[in-house]
Amino acid sequence: MSRSVRRLLCCVGLFALIIIPLSARVYAQTQAVCTFTMFNPPSGYPGGLWPNGINHYNTVVGGAYTANQNSEKGFIRYSGGGLTLFGPLSALYTELKKRNVYGTSVGQYVFSGAVGFPGAGSHGLMLTSSSYATLDYPGSNSTVLSGINKSNVIVGSALNSTTGDSFGFKHANGTFTKIKYPNAVQTTTTAINDNGVIVGGYELGSSENPWSGYILQNGTFKSLSYIPSDINNFGTIVAGNQIHYSNGTVKQVNVSGATMTFVNGINDLGTITGGAIYTDSQGNSTFKGFTAVCH
């Protein structure tokens, strides 16, 4: 794996780091048949791009890196191909995670050091067409907003400033509610759908132990052997390079010719988004984003 690939995987944060190894656990699964629409990083951002979420209108959000991943802007890519970049003034790294049907995007930004969460200094970001706002968990030194639904309920993760361990939260009607998997030492959230179902990851025992995933619905947790990146309104989950349908079917997504494929978002139409890494014989890597319809 090239240096640039390793750096990108480090910079995309805790969620990607804990999902990628799980996606490599391939058993007897069906290859998805997909129609891909590929897109390149925007001009001036050759370090690659990381699509994270896709809303009902097939608008994709994520992060785009400058050369050597020295800085990052959040991006919004519309279904027609138009792309805009955003970062708060003086922010070194900005990344958008998810976007709801009304065009509100959430994510994170950091002014210095490595890209935000789980390191100290990350701020939760809310972005509309006309303005942005910071939403940090009270008393925490690091916050990331990872999901938003049509009711503007937001989920995210924050760090305990004393222990350095992570916990999830929900923000609705101005109130924060902690999310902690039972007996877990760390919990994160990755997404929420329009039905209020939340997904994320948890770690039991100690911070040296492996992570598992969960679904949180109507106050009840269900453990998963993988960590979801996103869930749509029909209960279809994406994780790593896999689509997990609500009937138990699991299908792999692989972009032809790519060294690695990651699926990070799915909307209520079943359209997915993610990234593909291409590596040549000299170890040089090229990063592309995609949307796809699979069956």
Side-chain angles (χ1 to χ4, degrees):
M1 183 181 293
S2 70
R3 177 177 177 271
S4 59
V5 173
R6 290 194 300 269
R7 182 174 177 85
L8 179 62
L9 298 185
C10 288
C11 288
V12 296
L14 175 63
F15 307 129
L17 287 172
I18 57 183
I19 289 170
I20 290 165
L22 293 172
S23 69
R25 277 193 241 163
V26 177
Y27 302 101
Q29 297 165 2
T30 303
Q31 177 72 33
V33 178
C34 303
T35 301
F36 291 97
T37 299
M38 307 299 298
F39 51 93
N40 294 315
S43 176
Y45 291 81
L49 79 171
W50 192 264
N52 285 315
I54 183 169
N55 74 357
H56 174 82
Y57 298 105
N58 290 333
T59 301
V60 176
V61 295
Y65 292 88
T66 56
N68 299 315
Q69 288 91 46
N70 290 327
S71 64
E72 179 189 24
K73 294 285 189 183
F75 76 80
I76 301 171
R77 184 185 186 274
Y78 301 96
S79 59
L83 187 145
T84 62
L85 297 169
F86 173 80
L89 185 65
S90 301
L92 185 61
Y93 290 98
T94 303
E95 187 169 354
L96 299 176
K97 299 292 189 180
K98 298 293 188 295
R99 182 179 177 92
N100 70 6
V101 67
Y102 300 116
T104 299
S105 302
V106 295
Q108 64 185 120
Y109 68 93
V110 61
F111 288 113
S112 62
V115 61
F117 194 88
S122 176
H123 298 282
L125 171 66
M126 299 172 57
L127 176 66
T128 68
S129 60
S130 60
S131 63
Y132 81 92
T134 299
L135 180 65
D136 288 341
Y137 192 93
S140 174
N141 62 357
S142 187
T143 301
V144 57
L145 307 183
S146 53
I148 183 171
N149 66 12
K150 69 178 182 180
S151 301
N152 290 318
V153 178
I154 294 171
V155 294
S157 303
L159 291 186
N160 182 311
S161 299
T162 301
T163 66
D165 294 331
S166 65
F167 58 88
F169 63 82
K170 179 175 72 173
H171 182 269
N173 301 317
T175 300
F176 287 93
T177 303
K178 272 191 177 182
I179 296 172
K180 182 181 178 182
Y181 191 90
N183 302 314
V185 293
Q186 297 200 92
T187 304
T188 62
T189 71
T190 51
I192 182 172
N193 68 14
D194 289 340
N195 301 317
V197 180
I198 298 168
V199 292
Y202 70 93
E203 186 179 34
L204 295 176
S206 77
S207 58
E208 300 299 318
N209 289 340
W211 286 70
S212 300
Y214 69 82
I215 299 173
L216 175 57
Q217 184 172 11
N218 298 325
T220 300
F221 286 93
K222 175 185 176 181
S223 182
L224 302 172
S225 61
Y226 58 90
I227 302 173
S229 299
D230 200 2
I231 182 171
N232 71 6
N233 296 338
F234 300 97
T236 303
I237 292 172
V238 292
N241 70 332
Q242 301 169 349
I243 305 173
H244 296 254
Y245 296 93
S246 58
N247 64 2
T249 300
V250 180
K251 293 190 177 183
Q252 292 181 30
V253 177
N254 291 296
V255 176
S256 179
T259 309
M260 291 183 174
T261 303
F262 307 102
V263 184
N264 297 329
I266 184 168
N267 66 14
D268 58 329
L269 304 174
T271 305
I272 62 174
T273 192
I277 300 174
Y278 301 82
T279 306
D280 64 21
S281 58
Q282 284 74 46
N284 300 311
S285 299
T286 302
F287 305 87
K288 292 188 178 183
F290 66 81
T291 60
V293 177
C294 301
H295 62 272

